Amino acid sequence: MNPYRPVPGSTAARRAALRQQAATATPARPRRDPAPPRGPGARSQDLRGHGQDPAPPRAPGAADRYGSDVLATDPHRVGPAATRPRSVEVAAEPGMVLEDRQTGFVGAVVAVEKSGGTYLVVLEDRHGLRRGFPLGPGFWLEGRPVVLAPPPGRVRPTGPVSAAGRALTASGSYAVAGERARVARASRIWVEGRHDAELVEKVWGDDLRHEGVVVLMLDGVDNLERVISDFGPGPARRAGVLVDHLVAGSKESRIAQRVRSLPGGDDVLVLGHPYVDVWQAVRPERVGLRRWPEVPRGTDVKHGTLQALGWPHATQADVARGWQRILGSVRSYKDLEPALLGRVEELIDFVTAPVIAGDVP
């Protein structure tokens, strides 16, 4: 008994019977057309309309949901009435409005660049906020799923490049193509809040992944002593801390002094910039100012800055949007003040310095 023989009455058996019937049936005699004129090209003309080049199956449409071959296409995945439409590949083009399905971010394509061996599409939303996403599946275009592909031709890097044309990171380091993020070190860097973390990530993110350094938030410098005590620093487990307004006589300077006296304090480095808020570490020219406004004592520096700029400032959402405008104006380390640049570079060097064997207990 043939184990592959279709079960009588099954769909496979019916299809096999139909194929056998079609093979044994006497083909209908084609209608004889008038003999075409003889001469060059006569054979190609004679073959037209006689079954030599059958037309492809008709795809589903608005008037015909299933098309000419119900088994050739799935109307649930293909056609205007599809409930689970199949993704199609499209090339990213400037101005194309896309939605990233994972985050819900909607924006227009402003650039396609290659970073770390991966193509990224940069989208800009209606507020001017820019975000990068890897090319591939996961996008919607005009309500339909698409697989985003690089535009035709070579994609040139849109970021900073060296004099020799080599790609640079936003911090000015040479970009390493095709590199995966390194396994995280035991050492850590802390910053005061979210805005500090976002600025450090934008400029030094590639360097930190290359070195395997994780940046964490303190949620306020008042938490620094507790965080360092819980962390337990040591020669192979260093802590770097970046704080705002680290000037002589300030609250921040007193907290930093107490941290140095904690167990393992020799393996903690607390550095800071002189600005009241990290916003002022961005060069004011990037937002059209000659200098950052003086905010009166007792007024929140963020609200006061936005008010002086003439930007909405009444709610926390206004503050968030204002910061995104400022952050979006930062392209590389050249848009930051040296008082911040040097401190961040020093912290990265401190937590990535090689451990001397004699220092480890």
Side-chain angles (χ1 to χ4, degrees):
M1 179 178 178
N2 184 359
Y4 302 104
R5 185 175 182 179
V7 177
S10 68
T11 302
R14 291 197 300 271
R15 290 180 183 173
L18 289 172
R19 286 195 295 268
Q20 184 178 4
Q21 180 181 355
T24 58
T26 303
R29 297 182 63 185
R31 179 176 60 85
R32 295 182 62 85
D33 293 332
R38 298 297 177 182
R43 179 171 176 81
S44 62
Q45 294 177 6
D46 190 44
L47 293 177
R48 287 200 300 266
H50 290 275
Q52 298 297 321
D53 297 308
R58 186 175 63 257
D64 185 359
R65 182 180 179 185
Y66 292 96
S68 61
D69 187 351
V70 68
L71 300 177
T73 55
D74 183 353
H76 301 290
R77 304 298 302 277
V78 179
T83 57
R84 295 179 294 107
R86 181 180 293 115
S87 298
V88 297
E89 183 172 299
V90 298
E93 299 179 359
M96 179 184 290
V97 178
L98 300 168
E99 177 184 354
D100 175 63
R101 293 296 295 165
Q102 184 174 2
T103 63
F105 187 87
V106 179
V109 176
V110 295
V112 177
E113 56 192 38
K114 193 171 184 180
S115 176
T118 302
Y119 283 112
L120 299 177
V121 59
V122 180
L123 304 182
E124 181 179 285
D125 69 3
R126 60 191 182 93
H127 302 295
L129 173 63
R130 294 189 177 189
R131 293 186 61 180
F133 302 92
L135 293 187
F139 296 94
W140 278 57
L141 172 65
E142 297 180 355
R144 313 291 288 184
V146 296
V147 177
L148 209 58
R154 181 182 177 186
V155 178
R156 298 182 180 274
T158 58
V161 295
S162 66
R166 185 172 174 180
L168 301 174
T169 67
S171 68
S173 305
Y174 284 125
V176 181
E179 181 190 42
R180 290 188 175 185
R182 179 175 175 172
V183 175
R185 296 173 182 265
S187 300
R188 297 286 187 269
I189 290 178
W190 275 270
V191 296
E192 282 206 47
R194 180 176 299 277
H195 295 176
D196 308 75
E198 290 177 343
L199 185 59
V200 169
E201 163 62 27
K202 182 161 188 178
V203 177
W204 288 275
D206 290 334
D207 304 71
L208 294 169
R209 281 182 285 276
H210 173 75
E211 297 290 351
V213 177
V214 176
V215 176
L216 303 174
M217 292 187 295
L218 290 170
D219 292 324
V221 71
D222 293 330
N223 298 319
L224 179 57
E225 293 175 80
R226 177 185 56 79
V227 168
I228 295 301
S229 297
D230 294 342
F231 177 66
R237 189 177 173 84
R238 297 178 179 143
V241 184
L242 178 71
V243 298
D244 300 335
H245 199 230
L246 189 62
V247 296
S250 66
K251 175 186 72 173
E252 290 80 4
S253 65
R254 293 191 295 271
I255 293 175
Q257 185 63 39
R258 292 198 298 267
V259 166
R260 295 190 188 99
S261 63
L262 293 174
D266 292 339
D267 297 300
V268 180
L269 179 62
V270 181
L271 297 176
H273 53 74
Y275 312 110
V276 176
D277 194 275
V278 75
W279 290 23
Q280 297 170 333
V282 178
R283 290 186 179 274
E285 297 86 358
R286 296 303 305 148
V287 292
L289 298 175
R290 296 183 61 184
R291 64 178 184 176
W292 287 101
E294 295 288 340
V295 178
R297 184 179 296 273
T299 302
D300 180 83
V301 65
K302 295 181 174 66
H303 289 272
T305 299
L306 294 176
Q307 184 177 14
L309 286 168
W311 295 357
H313 59 279
T315 65
Q316 189 60 34
D318 292 332
V319 173
R321 283 189 290 268
W323 165 243
Q324 290 303 325
R325 288 182 64 177
I326 297 171
L327 182 64
S329 71
V330 176
R331 301 159 299 183
S332 72
Y333 70 98
K334 297 180 181 179
D335 296 326
L336 302 181
E337 297 288 355
L340 174 68
L341 291 174
R343 304 296 78 74
V344 175
E345 295 284 352
E346 191 174 348
L347 288 174
I348 294 175
D349 290 342
F350 176 75
V351 298
T352 58
V355 178
I356 301 175
D359 292 341
V360 181

